[in-house]
Amino acid sequence: MFDWDDLRLFLAAARAGSLAVAAQRLGVDAATVGRRVARLETALKSTLLVRSASGLHLTATGAQLLERALDAESAMEAAGRVTQPDLIAGTVRISASEGFGGAVLAPALPGLLATHPGLNVELAASSGFLSPSRREVDMAITLSPTDSPRLIVEPLTTYQLALYAAPEHLERHGAPTMIDDLSGFDMVGYVDDLIYAPELRYLEEIRPNLRPRLASSSIRAQRDMIAGGGGIGVLPCFLAQGLIRVLPDQVLIERRFWLSTHREVHGTARLRTARRWIKGLCRNAADRLSPYRILEA
């Protein structure tokens, strides 16, 4: 047998991909996490995690144990809710894209906490997404539906993107009159080999082989590049305040956000509350998320 608390520390290390990050989240030191994981490996007579320059990686045995550890964690959480199933309290960790998380979710979150003082919210708003299937987060807002039996996935909202440029940039360089003209203009976009989802290949969708002269993995950085006069680029309409829309009669892109919640916590009071609030926020922001009539083919 092994110490169940060692399993908890293994789970934290597997999620974090780092002993130091896991230790920070647990409020202990990295040596303790490493020692407890090693003790678990000894008890199970198997290597669970291997170190590399990029962090910790699960072995085949470690991946199998992770699945069982997630089930055990869910069972313990469910047991703890038996006496207070409708208590809206605790921490909700949400993963969202950098643009939506920063511009739409973050400014509204204080309102959620004001009406539910027992809640705490952790927002991971960055390029890429954390995984609710591994319980890195409780819920994720993603660009495509996640395929996992551990998750309950539902459509959240559509949103629109268009081409934008700074007024000063258009005054200096003029504006394209048709899509083919874009090849003669400086473009702003994503770093090609850092694109984490095919839905982000906007420039290729507008015109094959259209490449950015200025590129970033961050949509907020791209917005700042465009605002600073760096060129023309695709932005979500909700990030384009102060910029001029380019080729408005020819380019309009629509995407959808999806909301994924881990099946084991989907029905808890705190997750029901957060999910209902996020859906309401998107309904109220519909005109900001999709402000234009869809272009006819």
Side-chain angles (χ1 to χ4, degrees):
M1 292 296 293
F2 59 85
D3 189 326
W4 283 98
D5 200 47
D6 292 348
L7 187 66
R8 180 176 66 89
L9 271 69
F10 159 76
L11 186 55
R15 280 176 173 151
S18 162
L19 295 179
V21 174
Q24 184 180 30
R25 291 176 181 174
L26 295 170
V28 299
D29 59 79
T32 298
V33 178
R35 184 171 61 254
R36 300 286 287 278
V37 170
R39 187 169 73 177
L40 180 62
E41 291 178 323
T42 298
L44 297 176
K45 298 182 175 61
S46 293
T47 300
L48 304 173
L49 295 168
V50 294
R51 293 179 175 84
S52 74
S54 59
L56 297 175
H57 300 278
L58 290 163
T59 64
T61 302
Q64 293 180 40
L65 181 62
L66 176 64
E67 293 297 309
R68 303 288 76 79
L70 290 169
D71 291 338
E73 181 185 57
S74 297
M76 292 298 290
E77 290 182 353
R81 294 192 299 268
V82 167
T83 58
Q84 295 178 302
D86 297 321
L87 179 66
I88 303 173
T91 297
V92 178
R93 179 177 286 188
I94 305 168
S95 174
S97 65
E98 179 191 24
F100 182 80
V104 179
L105 277 184
L109 281 171
L112 172 64
L113 300 192
T115 55
H116 299 287
L119 277 182
N120 297 315
V121 175
E122 297 176 352
L123 175 62
S126 60
S127 300
F129 299 94
L130 299 178
S131 171
S133 64
R134 292 177 57 172
R135 295 293 302 276
E136 293 175 313
V137 291
D138 295 304
M139 59 175 58
I141 299 168
T142 58
L143 298 172
S144 59
T146 306
D147 183 18
S148 170
R150 288 185 172 274
L151 302 180
I152 294 177
V153 183
E154 50 195 322
L156 179 58
T157 183
T158 57
Y159 67 103
Q160 293 174 334
L161 307 99
L163 283 170
Y164 291 95
E168 298 81 5
H169 182 80
L170 296 177
E171 289 174 7
R172 289 196 306 270
H173 302 283
T177 59
M178 55 191 302
I179 289 175
D180 285 346
D181 293 343
L182 292 172
S183 60
F185 286 79
D186 289 342
M187 302 300 297
V188 176
Y190 280 98
V191 180
D192 187 70
D193 60 354
L194 296 181
I195 291 177
Y196 60 87
E199 291 85 359
L200 300 178
R201 295 191 178 278
Y202 308 125
L203 296 183
E204 187 74 18
E205 183 174 328
I206 293 170
R207 186 181 188 276
N209 300 315
L210 191 60
R211 297 287 182 264
R213 188 175 181 202
L214 274 176
S216 174
S217 61
S218 162
I219 192 65
R220 302 299 288 263
Q222 290 178 46
R223 198 261 178 221
D224 290 344
M225 291 171 176
I226 294 169
I232 300 170
V234 175
L235 291 173
C237 297
F238 59 78
L239 283 180
Q241 294 85 351
L243 301 175
I244 303 297
R245 192 175 167 200
V246 176
L247 298 176
D249 297 326
Q250 300 176 55
V251 177
L252 182 62
I253 298 171
E254 186 170 273
R255 294 287 190 264
R256 181 182 293 276
F257 284 125
W258 298 80
L259 182 62
S260 302
T261 312
H262 195 280
R263 189 174 296 276
E264 295 295 336
V265 296
H266 183 268
T268 62
R270 61 188 173 88
L271 267 295
R272 290 200 311 269
T273 299
R275 196 166 60 251
R276 184 169 57 247
W277 176 82
I278 290 172
K279 290 178 179 178
L281 176 66
C282 290
R283 285 194 299 270
N284 293 336
D287 290 343
R288 181 184 173 200
L289 294 168
S290 297
Y292 302 111
R293 181 177 62 85
I294 294 297
L295 298 174
E296 297 180 0

